[in-house]
Amino acid sequence: MPIDVDEVQRRKAIAQATLAVAAREGARAITIRAVAKELGGSTAMVTNYVPTRAALILNAVRAAESRWREDLEAHVGDRTGADRLRATVEWHLSTDPEDLLLRSLWVEMLSAAHTDPAGVDRQEPRESRQQFLDASLTAGVPDAALAADVLSLLTRGYYISSMEEPGYWTPERVTRVAEAVVGALVAD
């Protein structure tokens, strides 16, 4: 008799196990075998749902995205204008340890883009640019589309920099940068 498994729950469990392996041993340690061991089962327990290493990483990143949207909404709240734009940028420039872990997965995912283009999350960057565009429009930025592109490049560059020099990018330094960039964008 076949075992009835909820695919959504299994993918969530695989994502959590992937994050646990990455948190403990680093993103390079993510393998199907390591994730299966973390789950306490066989590799088939993983590969039936997530067939490759790239898919493991993408699955973990996508699982985090729904939490990100909720967290962003909570952080921005009912702010308006330049305050909303500033809060959106600050949220994207997080120094939270979990965000640093997810960035390491993001870099790992991108490093395989040339061999597995389907293993790259293209949805999240588009959603981020849209968040910046919406916040820029709300703030009355004269060229909101350009502002969204600038903020997208800024935050993506920050993701790399925060991994290269995590001690340098303190919350205070990041807030200062966010305020300077938003100030320049909303100035007439």
Side-chain angles (χ1 to χ4, degrees):
M1 181 166 214
I3 299 172
D4 189 24
V5 177
D6 181 338
E7 183 175 349
V8 172
Q9 290 305 316
R10 180 57 56 95
R11 286 182 175 276
K12 283 182 182 179
I14 291 170
Q16 290 171 342
T18 303
L19 291 171
V21 169
R24 190 174 53 250
E25 302 173 40
R28 293 274 172 172
I30 296 171
T31 63
I32 289 171
R33 191 175 314 280
V35 172
K37 182 179 177 185
E38 184 72 24
L39 288 167
S42 70
T43 56
M45 176 185 228
V46 175
T47 58
N48 285 339
Y49 303 92
V50 187
T52 66
R53 179 178 187 275
L56 278 175
I57 294 169
L58 182 57
N59 180 59
V61 169
R62 287 220 169 115
E65 286 174 3
S66 64
R67 288 194 324 264
W68 290 342
R69 282 187 285 281
E70 292 168 7
D71 190 46
L72 174 60
E73 288 174 19
H75 181 77
V76 172
D78 58 358
R79 297 177 196 192
T80 60
D83 258 2
R84 183 175 188 82
L85 179 58
R86 188 173 294 105
T88 302
V89 173
E90 287 173 355
W91 181 86
H92 278 275
L93 298 178
S94 164
T95 57
D96 182 82
E98 182 181 351
D99 290 337
L100 295 175
L101 171 65
L102 289 167
R103 287 184 199 131
S104 72
L105 294 182
W106 177 74
V107 168
E108 197 69 21
M109 176 179 58
L110 292 179
S111 72
H114 67 287
T115 57
D116 186 8
V120 175
D121 182 7
R122 300 191 195 293
Q123 175 183 333
E124 190 277 329
R126 289 179 186 125
E127 288 178 2
S128 293
R129 273 194 306 277
Q130 187 63 49
Q131 292 161 357
F132 291 133
L133 178 60
D134 293 346
S136 295
L137 288 167
T138 299
V141 174
D143 190 343
L146 177 61
D149 287 346
V150 167
L151 294 171
S152 183
L153 289 173
L154 169 77
T155 56
R156 293 312 204 221
Y158 168 70
Y159 295 169
I160 300 293
S161 294
S162 67
M163 291 181 54
E164 292 171 330
E165 296 182 281
Y168 182 81
W169 293 105
T170 63
E172 297 77 23
R173 179 168 273 125
V174 171
T175 298
R176 188 169 177 241
V177 168
E179 288 175 359
V181 171
V182 170
L185 290 171
V186 293
D188 290 336

